[in-house]
Amino acid sequence: MGASPRRVNLSIETTSRVQVVDITARVEEAVRELGIEEGTVHVFCPHTTGAVAVNEAADPDVATDIGRALSAMVPDLRFAHAEGNAPAHLLATLVGPSELLPVLGGRLGLGTWQGVFFCEFDGPRSRTVWVMGSP
Amino acid sequence: MGASPRRVNLSIETTSRVQVVDITARVEEAVRELGIEEGTVHVFCPHTTGAVAVNEAADPDVATDIGRALSAMVPDLRFAHAEGNAPAHLLATLVGPSELLPVLGGRLGLGTWQGVFFCEFDGPRSRTVWVMGSP
Amino acid sequence: MGASPRRVNLSIETTSRVQVVDITARVEEAVRELGIEEGTVHVFCPHTTGAVAVNEAADPDVATDIGRALSAMVPDLRFAHAEGNAPAHLLATLVGPSELLPVLGGRLGLGTWQGVFFCEFDGPRSRTVWVMGSP
């Protein structure tokens, strides 16, 4: 049996401009691949218009609401950034690039209703999220 | 003497809809119980309408202002989530479920004015916050 | 040769009220000083009107846009905090006090376009940001 990897890359395709994607099952699978038994797993988005969040995974409407509400919070300014996606950079900064999550008994140790989400604010895109254990 | 626990659970009762509660002293006590001398402590909220934040603990008005301001930032949308607490999920996502805090010499290593706060956005509730050391 | 330090302090001077400062090169240098080869580095702001963010570092307009947009998001309320900087505490809470960043082969392991930023919301100030390795 080989050594556990240090990082598992999740490939994620989004289909709309703003999308909040439930990746809980895939992070769970990555925790197994990484061989983490107790401790933490670090879920990190290496893209500047994407983010990682934790929120309710039971009702998919919550993710949809959060995406719509975040978009509605962007102030109506004349942005300097010439690519036209300054709002996406703003929202990625607010939600943040990573989450550090508990692992208990080889499984994600979240609250009953919590899931892990990848947020894209400038899609559609092909993106990667990194899942890493402790060194 | 027994081994140190791996996690200390803090029970927190909130009394209003939105409440930002200073839990600094209780996290400090948990750091002692966990026996962390140098490194980090991970303060994690397992609830989807709650969050963990770091901000000024000297003037309690700051926590009150932050709770009011966050509530005022929620956009006026027709949310799909049927439970009526979509704004709480939004604010929990923005503030985030956890903070990773330095520990120095067996004590929380924060800045002079910093404290740790549990934020509830859909109270009143009986909640738990997890305080965990490194494995 | 001496032991690696456990923490490197970055001194940062800001010149305006709200400023988003690219500190990527300085965090990279701190990773070398700390002697971290594989794992994570923890960038922590001990000030209650400051924050640490990750976003696009290629076009400096992005940082400027983010600072302006965050300021524009502050709701028009009568704040209780008597120092007059409640908006700064709010924005620091939203962006968050720290980021946990991957280190690969002795270098910051960020995405192609990502950089690390110190955000000041109540400047001009002389500030310190802590860069810490794993214990």
Side-chain angles (χ1 to χ4, degrees):
Chain A
M1 229 187 88
S4 294
R6 294 284 293 281
R7 184 172 101 189
V8 169
N9 291 344
L10 309 181
S11 295
I12 300 165
E13 306 289 323
T14 61
T15 54
S16 54
R17 178 82 176 212
V18 172
Q19 199 168 337
V20 178
V21 184
D22 187 344
I23 58 171
T24 314
R26 299 181 66 190
V27 173
E28 190 76 80
E29 194 184 323
V31 166
R32 280 195 297 274
E33 282 186 60
L34 291 162
I36 310 169
E37 273 301 312
E38 304 291 330
T40 52
V41 65
H42 189 203
V43 184
F44 186 89
C45 168
H47 308 288
T48 57
T49 64
V52 178
V54 168
N55 213 290
E56 189 189 303
D59 175 6
D61 281 345
V62 172
T64 310
D65 281 343
I66 288 174
R68 287 176 57 232
L70 289 171
S71 301
M73 290 175 80
V74 175
D76 186 20
L77 293 182
R78 199 168 178 290
F79 292 106
H81 182 48
E83 291 178 36
N85 60 357
H89 292 297
L90 170 69
L91 295 180
T93 297
L94 280 169
V95 176
S98 80
E99 297 289 354
L100 186 68
L101 306 172
V103 176
L104 304 168
R107 305 214 45 177
L108 267 183
L110 300 177
T112 311
W113 305 105
Q114 284 179 324
V116 192
F117 294 85
F118 168 70
C119 309
E120 173 64 58
F121 299 113
D122 191 36
R125 297 268 193 178
S126 297
R127 294 307 206 181
T128 303
V129 166
W130 300 343
V131 185
M132 293 164 283
S134 301
Chain B
M1 228 186 89
S4 293
R6 293 285 291 282
R7 183 171 102 190
V8 170
N9 291 344
L10 309 182
S11 295
I12 300 165
E13 306 290 322
T14 61
T15 55
S16 55
R17 178 82 175 214
V18 172
Q19 199 167 336
V20 178
V21 184
D22 186 344
I23 58 171
T24 314
R26 299 182 67 190
V27 173
E28 189 76 79
E29 195 184 321
V31 166
R32 279 195 297 274
E33 283 186 61
L34 291 162
I36 312 169
E37 273 300 312
E38 304 291 329
T40 52
V41 65
H42 189 204
V43 184
F44 186 89
C45 168
H47 308 288
T48 58
T49 63
V52 178
V54 168
N55 213 289
E56 189 189 303
D59 176 7
D61 281 345
V62 172
T64 309
D65 282 343
I66 288 173
R68 286 177 56 232
L70 290 171
S71 302
M73 289 175 79
V74 174
D76 186 21
L77 294 181
R78 199 171 178 290
F79 293 106
H81 182 50
E83 292 178 36
N85 61 357
H89 292 297
L90 170 70
L91 295 180
T93 298
L94 280 169
V95 176
S98 82
E99 297 289 354
L100 186 68
L101 306 173
V103 176
L104 303 168
R107 304 213 46 177
L108 267 183
L110 300 177
T112 311
W113 306 106
Q114 285 179 323
V116 192
F117 295 85
F118 168 70
C119 308
E120 174 63 60
F121 299 113
D122 190 37
R125 298 267 194 178
S126 297
R127 296 304 208 183
T128 303
V129 166
W130 299 344
V131 185
M132 294 164 282
S134 301
Chain C
M1 228 186 89
S4 294
R6 294 285 292 280
R7 183 171 101 190
V8 170
N9 292 344
L10 308 182
S11 295
I12 300 165
E13 306 290 322
T14 60
T15 54
S16 54
R17 178 83 177 213
V18 172
Q19 199 168 336
V20 178
V21 184
D22 186 344
I23 59 171
T24 314
R26 300 183 65 189
V27 174
E28 188 77 79
E29 194 184 322
V31 166
R32 279 195 297 274
E33 282 186 61
L34 291 162
I36 311 168
E37 274 300 311
E38 305 290 330
T40 51
V41 65
H42 189 203
V43 184
F44 187 88
C45 168
H47 308 288
T48 58
T49 63
V52 178
V54 167
N55 214 289
E56 189 189 303
D59 175 7
D61 281 345
V62 172
T64 310
D65 282 343
I66 288 173
R68 287 177 57 231
L70 289 171
S71 302
M73 289 175 80
V74 175
D76 186 20
L77 294 181
R78 198 170 179 291
F79 293 106
H81 182 49
E83 291 178 35
N85 60 359
H89 291 297
L90 170 69
L91 296 180
T93 297
L94 280 169
V95 176
S98 81
E99 298 289 354
L100 186 68
L101 306 172
V103 176
L104 303 167
R107 306 215 44 177
L108 266 182
L110 300 176
T112 310
W113 305 105
Q114 284 179 324
V116 192
F117 294 86
F118 168 71
C119 309
E120 173 64 60
F121 299 113
D122 190 38
R125 298 267 193 179
S126 297
R127 296 304 207 183
T128 304
V129 166
W130 300 343
V131 185
M132 293 164 283
S134 302

